Amino acid sequence: MITSSLAERLREAQHVVVFTGAGASAESGIPTFRDALTGLWERFDPAQLATSDAFRADPSLCWGWYEWRRHKVLQAQPNGAHFAIAELASRVPKLTVVTQNVDDLHERAGSQNVVHLHGSLHSPRCIDCGQAHTLSLASDALPGDGSRIEPPRCSACSGYVRPGVVWFGEMLPEGAWSVGLAAAEECDVFLSIGTSGIVYPAAELPLRALGRGATVVHINPAQFKVSSQEHFLQGPASVMMQSLLREAFGDHPVS
Ligand code: OAD
C-alpha cells in the first residue's frame, strides 16, 4: 500500500535512485530470467549461453540466442513503468536510473544517463581486441530462439564479435558500478523495481541504500519478504509506478 508518508518521502526526496530488473521490461513483452515457465533461465541453460567459455565453445549458438533477444527488444516498446520513471526525473531534483537490463527501453521512454550494470545488447565488441562493432538496427525477421547465427568478425583483428553484455563470471563495467554504488549511498529514496535481487553485486545496491538510511521501496507482483524498514508494493511495475507518482505528485499525466 502506498501510504501518505511514503508519498511524502518521494515528494520531498532530493535524490531518487530507480533500480530496475527484468520485471520492469516484462510488460513490454521481454521475458524475465527467473519467472516460472516464462523465464529465460527456465528454458535455457545459462552455462551454455551466458559465459565466455560458452561463447568460445559454440559462438553461433550463443550469438544466435543474443540476436533473438536483440530483435525482440527492437520490436518492443517501452511500457508505463519506463514512462513513469522518465516522468519522475522532472518531479525530483535528482534521479539516477540504474538498470540490470540489457535493453534500451528506459532510454526510448526518455530517461537519460541510464547506468547499465550488465551492459547492453546494443553494444557488441570484439572478444579478442575489444573493438566496438556496429550492428544494423533493422528489426527485420525475428530469428528463432534456437537459431544458430555465425557472429560477425572484428574489422580490426578478425576475432569474433561478442554481445556487449556482462556474462556470469565477468566483472561489472567499472564506471557503471561506481556510479550506481555512489548513487545508492547518497540517495534518500531507492525504488527497486522488478528484480529478484539475487544476482550480486547488483543486488547489493538496495542494501547499501538502506544502510545509509534511505527509504527503500520494492515493487514486484510476486510477494517477497522485506525488512520492517523497507516498503513493499505488490503489483506490476507500470501500475505501481503510475500510482506512486499520482499519490506523490497528484496531477501527473503519465501515458
Ligand atoms: P529475474 O528474472 O531474476 O527477476 C524478475 C523479477 O521481476 C521477478 O521478481 C518477478 O516477480 C518480477 N516481475 C515479473 N513481472 C513483473 C512486472 N510486470 N512488474 C514488476 N516486476 C515483475 O530478473 P533480474 O532480477 O533482472 O544478469 O535478474 C538479475 C540478473 O540475472 C539479470 O540482469 C541477468 C540474470 O542472469 C546477467 O545477465 C548478468
Side-chain angles (χ1 to χ4, degrees), residues 20-24 26-27 32-35 39 41 50 66 69 100-102 118 165-168 172 193-199 219-222 224 235-238:
T20 56
E27 292 166 78
T32 63
F33 294 95
R34 297 177 182 79
D35 275 280
W41 296 155
Y66 280 96
R69 288 180 58 199
Q100 299 167 87
N101 297 341
V102 292
H118 291 166
V165 303
V166 175
W167 280 327
F168 289 105
L172 304 196
I193 305 172
T195 178
S196 55
I198 58 175
V199 173
I219 294 178
N220 204 303
F224 57 81
S238 62

